[in-house]
Amino acid sequence: MHAEIAGAGFAGLTAAVALRQRGWTVRLHEKGPELRAFGAGIYLWHNGLRVLDNLGVLEDVLDGTHTPPIYETWLHNKSVSRETFNGLPWRLMTRQHLHDALANKARAEGVEILVNSEVVAADPLGRITLASGEVREADLVVGADGVGSKVRDSIGFERDRWISTDGLIRLIVPRKKQELGHGEWDNVIDMWNFWPRVQRILYSPCSENDLYLGFMAPAVDPDGSRVPIKLDYWIEMFPFLEPVLIEAAKHQTARYDRYETTKLDVWSRGKVALVGDAAHAMCPAIAQGAGCAMINSLSLAMELEEIPDVEEALGSWEKRIRPITDRCQAISGEYAANRSLSKGNQFTPRATEAARYDPVKRRVMPW
Ligand SMILES: Cc1cc2nc3c(=O)[nH]c(=O)nc-3n(C[C@H](O)[C@H](O)[C@H](O)COP(=O)(O)OP(=O)(O)OC[C@H]3O[C@@H](n4cnc5c(N)ncnc54)[C@H](O)[C@@H]3O)c2cc1C
């Protein structure tokens, strides 16, 4: 059996490795000139870590990453909650670190990876068309080409799409622990301010040396959404972070991203399956987009192993896995719209359902 996959992000790489490990030949098309991750840091939870374990890359990924002792929430610079998620495994890392581990595994397993290879269309019979005009055939086409998916749009899935009012600038800077002075700087600290204006910094240590900073502001705020960051504007609200804010202001090429949600009528048509943001982009409030992308990609390969008929397997896969993603997407949207995380203690059993899902055991781990 042969698969053609569009997009070498976390979804496409996971699907490629999982299918290859089950005996498929896999060709992975990446439109960019090289394999690289966009963005800064990433939170992985039990679900994503279980996928990495199943693919055989968990040890490589854990090396050089960090589990903060506590997820702290501050409102107007005062602590409102300190969460440890009832012992639920979680991990922070740079995106490039995770991407490199998955890409290395794909190469080692014999996935054929083509860069500068843009998929411009697909059809349910299992054909893809490349930007070069070349057409390729497969038993399975996977559209893992992100929120702007051409695979999805060329086939014409019904979809709803929302863009949120807030967005985030994401950067990796040196940790500068000594310069920050006294404080629990190994924790995640989610710092919210609503007065005199809405501004949030998500402080997330990723490794011994790397700090992931997320700068959140409403899109209508020209200063808060400005890139490079407006140093005095952020120091005024978060003066104790000055050493790392100075580093952040040096980044000239950062991007302000608004949160996007996409909801489709179905995730597959004929021999074409959509995974990751192509199928279910969600607000990042509870940091689950990549986790869901990875469990859905692994689950797809597992389903195809059990049900030899591709179209039947795709239907069964969506039925099994989609409800958890749908609920996760809904709560992510609700939290983003209400800025709920500012209240603290929001990682409830309901909010952590997807994070607790074990794709191998096919059940949600208890809270
Ligand atoms: C601010 C923010 C913070 C987030 N934080 C987290 C977090 O902490 N934890 C978490 O789990 N999730 C998080 N997410 C969500 C997560 O980033 C995404 O859900 C995840 O990256 C989706 O992976 P993907 O592989 O589906 O898509 P992408 O990462 O978008 O990858 C798509 C790939 O396909 C390539 N491509 C695109 N079009 C084509 C084409 N036509 N042909 C070939 N290749 C193509 C692209 O170049 C890219 O390499 C966050 C999202 C945002 C916006």
Side-chain angles (χ1 to χ4, degrees):
M1 299 289 269
H2 175 69
E4 298 276 338
I5 302 181
F10 300 126
L13 285 165
T14 303
V17 173
L19 286 167
R20 187 76 197 99
Q21 288 176 335
R22 286 161 180 79
W24 288 62
T25 58
V26 179
R27 197 176 286 126
L28 179 58
H29 301 267
E30 169 53 47
K31 79 170 177 185
E34 58 186 342
L35 292 194
R36 66 180 291 272
F38 176 78
I42 190 154
Y43 289 64
L44 283 191
W45 304 81
H46 178 66
N47 54 351
L49 298 172
R50 286 293 287 151
V51 172
L52 296 175
D53 190 29
N54 189 266
L55 299 181
V57 288
L58 184 61
E59 273 184 35
D60 292 347
V61 170
L62 291 186
D63 194 21
T65 62
H66 176 66
T67 299
I70 292 167
Y71 186 111
E72 209 169 335
T73 302
W74 291 2
L75 185 59
H76 298 135
N77 299 335
K78 289 205 174 61
S79 183
V80 291
S81 74
R82 293 166 64 87
E83 294 175 80
T84 52
F85 315 124
N86 276 0
L88 178 72
W90 62 303
R91 201 85 174 175
L92 264 160
M93 61 200 73
T94 66
R95 285 187 178 241
Q96 198 56 47
H97 179 83
L98 175 61
H99 197 270
D100 285 346
L102 285 169
N104 289 340
K105 187 66 177 173
R107 288 188 198 98
E109 294 285 357
V111 172
E112 185 186 349
I113 302 175
L114 303 177
V115 293
N116 291 315
S117 185
E118 185 181 8
V119 178
V120 292
D123 75 52
L125 295 174
R127 280 189 294 257
I128 56 163
T129 307
L130 303 177
S132 62
E134 193 183 336
V135 174
R136 301 208 172 188
E137 289 196 20
D139 300 291
L140 171 73
V141 169
V142 179
D145 46 346
V147 70
S149 173
K150 290 196 170 160
V151 169
R152 176 193 65 212
D153 294 345
S154 65
I155 291 180
F157 289 80
E158 287 289 316
R159 67 173 163 140
D160 286 335
R161 187 174 168 215
W162 308 271
I163 309 237
S164 65
T165 48
D166 294 333
L168 206 67
I169 299 164
R170 294 173 277 170
L171 297 169
I172 299 285
V173 299
R175 287 196 53 188
K176 302 247 163 201
K177 245 160 91 168
Q178 301 303 326
E179 286 90 328
L180 286 175
H182 182 70
E184 291 178 85
W185 300 116
D186 282 341
N187 289 347
V188 162
I189 314 178
D190 194 356
M191 306 168 182
W192 289 81
N193 277 283
F194 290 98
W195 186 88
R197 54 186 178 259
V198 178
Q199 249 177 298
R200 169 192 180 202
I201 289 184
L202 181 58
Y203 168 100
S204 312
C206 279
S207 69
E208 202 39 44
N209 303 316
D210 296 316
L211 173 65
Y212 165 32
L213 290 176
F215 297 85
M216 194 201 95
V220 291
D221 174 354
D223 291 322
S225 54
R226 183 183 300 175
V227 174
I229 65 155
K230 195 176 176 213
L231 188 56
D232 54 351
Y233 193 75
W234 289 96
I235 288 183
E236 185 190 352
M237 204 77 101
F238 304 96
F240 44 87
L241 289 182
E242 184 169 346
V244 290
L245 295 179
I246 290 172
E247 294 294 326
K250 293 179 187 165
H251 285 256
Q252 298 295 314
T253 56
R255 213 170 72 178
Y256 174 82
D257 290 303
R258 288 176 76 179
Y259 315 149
E260 201 161 328
T261 301
T262 315
K263 199 163 169 111
L264 305 182
D265 54 346
V266 286
W267 286 357
S268 70
R269 192 151 301 156
K271 294 180 176 177
V272 179
L274 300 174
V275 290
D277 280 5
H280 51 69
M282 63 180 80
C283 293
I286 51 172
Q288 271 304 323
C292 287
M294 289 164 69
I295 52 178
N296 294 346
S297 294
L298 173 62
S299 302
L300 174 67
M302 288 170 61
E303 205 77 32
L304 286 158
E305 192 177 21
E306 284 171 25
I307 305 176
D309 180 83
V310 170
E311 293 188 32
E312 195 188 322
L314 297 188
S316 165
W317 161 70
E318 181 171 349
K319 209 163 148 200
R320 183 194 297 282
I321 201 77
R322 180 165 178 165
I324 288 182
T325 303
D326 280 350
R327 288 194 289 273
C328 182
Q329 197 183 35
I331 196 167
S332 300
E334 181 190 313
Y335 273 24
N338 300 328
R339 298 178 178 141
S340 306
L341 288 179
S342 63
K343 292 185 228 149
N345 288 320
Q346 293 299 298
F347 288 91
T348 59
R350 181 174 152 244
T352 55
E353 183 197 18
R356 288 182 288 121
Y357 183 71
D358 185 324
V360 181
K361 294 186 177 148
R362 291 176 164 166
R363 63 184 164 89
V364 177
M365 301 312 285
W367 181 237

